[in-house]
Amino acid sequence: MLELHDAPLAPLTTFRLGGPAARLITATTDAEVVAAVREADAAGTPLLLIGGGSNLVIGDEGFSGTALRIATEGFSLDGTTLELAAGEVWTDAVARTVEAGLAGIECLAGIPGSAGATPIQNVGAYGQEVSSTISEVIAYDRKTGETVTLANAECAFSYRHSRFKADPDRHVVLRVRFELEDANGLSAPVKYAETARTLGVEPGDRVPLADARETVLKLRAGKGMVLDPEDHDTWSAGSFFTNPILTDEAFAAFHARVKERLGDDAAPPAFPAGEGHTKTSAAWLIDKSGFTKGYGTGPARISTKHTLALTNRGEASTEDLLALAREVVAGVRDAFGITLVNEPVTVGVSL
């Protein structure tokens, strides 16, 4: 294991923000990951896990404990079963499954970060979520001191959530197994309307796997959601806020606020989210509250390509980013009575 002290963490995050870690360990095998976690737990040392760094907001003061960078490698295909080490680069793994002719995660192309983070957030985009294909998660249980295998049903997946996110100090993901589909080179049924429209097909149709992946990459790039060091719109955590899920009663009250603010003909986005619940669009809320693309005058601003991404224009601090996030949250709450929830994990800071 590589060990550094007073180590910069900002370069390990897609925001490129945050102070140093008192100690940074880079682990390249599952055994090294487990050993580092056990050592920290035994000593009572605060532990920060870092994968691809695409979902982290680290405070300007840094982290006073041990930061563990999980850099494990492993890509294995056995028929339609895929196993990924936690440190595998997610978007590269997606590309390899498409090359292998397997469907199920092709619309998750271009998402930054590591494979081990995908079950934590139940990563999803363009009509697919990893919970639909994950069969098992292999993790180190910090409570029992054992490595465990959790079946899909034990992971408590929901919208951008899981048991791992609900109890972040319990499990350390080591490997993730997926059950994919051999559809003779075709994608899973296209669910997302924008993807189907761009592909020129109807929702539910299948298309060549490579076409699905390339289309999603183009759509994401157009919104600044594919990493590019030269493009400050990608110096972000992607979508900073989750889409609100409201009860029927809360949605009715929200709809009334929309009509009051925008006129009787105005209708907010509405998507079924289980019995008695409706999901609406955080991007729409932000935009209609007056926070348009490119909003801001400081070093942290809303992306010029997508209202849901908060970005570092190159000289921002974490506090600059949080000030912008708080302004957006307060503005949306004042306009529509909905409190947005941040999707990235905050370290040493909060909204």
Side-chain angles (χ1 to χ4, degrees):
M1 288 187 287
L2 176 65
E3 182 173 331
L4 299 172
H5 295 268
D6 196 27
L9 294 181
L12 302 182
T13 74
T14 52
F15 264 125
R16 295 168 170 81
L17 294 176
R23 181 180 181 227
L24 172 65
I25 293 176
T26 299
T28 58
T29 67
D30 290 354
E32 289 181 352
V33 172
V34 171
V37 174
R38 282 178 171 162
E39 179 195 38
D41 287 349
T45 303
L47 182 67
L48 171 64
L49 302 175
I50 300 177
S54 61
N55 204 45
L56 280 179
V57 177
I58 299 173
D60 293 318
E61 298 302 314
F63 186 69
S64 60
T66 294
L68 173 59
R69 179 171 171 259
I70 299 176
T72 53
E73 297 180 355
F75 178 102
S76 173
L77 268 177
D78 182 8
T80 57
T81 300
L82 169 68
E83 181 175 300
L84 297 176
E88 280 289 322
V89 176
W90 174 252
T91 194
D92 292 348
V94 172
R96 292 177 70 178
T97 65
V98 170
E99 290 171 3
L102 297 176
I105 57 175
E106 62 278 359
C107 291
L108 302 178
I111 294 176
S114 62
T118 60
I120 298 171
Q121 286 288 116
N122 186 16
V123 164
Y126 295 95
Q128 290 183 343
E129 287 183 330
V130 292
S131 57
S132 297
T133 50
I134 287 177
S135 57
E136 294 177 328
V137 175
I138 296 89
Y140 174 67
D141 186 335
R142 297 169 69 180
K143 183 176 181 179
T144 65
E146 298 177 348
T147 296
V148 296
T149 299
L150 301 171
N152 181 292
E154 297 175 276
C155 296
F157 290 123
S158 59
Y159 172 64
R160 300 297 172 271
H161 204 67
S162 68
R163 70 178 296 172
F164 310 109
K165 188 173 181 179
D167 189 2
D169 295 329
R170 175 74 183 268
H171 293 98
V172 179
V173 176
L174 301 174
R175 295 184 172 267
V176 188
R177 292 187 183 127
F178 300 81
E179 192 56 43
L180 304 178
E181 179 188 7
D182 184 351
N184 296 315
L186 296 179
S187 69
V190 177
K191 295 180 180 179
Y192 200 67
E194 184 184 20
T195 313
R197 186 168 58 248
T198 305
L199 284 162
V201 301
E202 294 296 320
D205 289 349
R206 294 177 184 261
V207 298
L209 276 164
D211 290 355
R213 175 178 175 271
E214 289 165 12
T215 295
V216 166
L217 287 173
K218 288 177 182 176
L219 289 172
R220 291 186 64 86
K223 299 172 183 176
M225 298 291 186
V226 176
L227 294 181
D228 178 355
E230 303 302 316
D231 183 359
H232 284 286
D233 277 334
T234 74
W235 289 34
S236 75
S239 299
F240 195 87
F241 300 104
T242 58
N243 290 322
I245 295 177
L246 308 175
T247 64
D248 288 344
E249 182 181 2
F251 188 82
F254 162 54
H255 200 173
R257 292 279 289 265
V258 170
K259 288 185 176 183
E260 180 182 334
R261 181 180 177 89
L262 303 176
D264 287 341
D265 294 334
F271 309 95
E275 186 176 354
H277 291 81
T278 300
K279 180 166 67 176
T280 192
S281 167
W284 186 92
L285 287 165
I286 293 167
D287 181 72
K288 298 303 182 183
S289 299
F291 303 102
T292 54
K293 295 174 184 176
Y295 178 88
T297 57
R301 302 178 201 169
I302 291 177
S303 165
T304 66
K305 300 182 180 71
H306 200 297
T307 54
L308 205 47
L310 308 187
T311 67
N312 171 11
R313 307 317 291 183
E315 301 295 332
S317 66
T318 301
E319 199 49 47
D320 292 328
L321 175 76
L322 293 175
L324 175 62
R326 291 171 187 137
E327 183 182 1
V328 171
V329 169
V332 170
R333 186 190 300 118
D334 289 345
F336 297 110
I338 292 176
T339 300
L340 294 177
V341 176
N342 53 290
E343 186 169 332
V345 175
T346 54
V347 179
V349 292
S350 64
L351 259 63

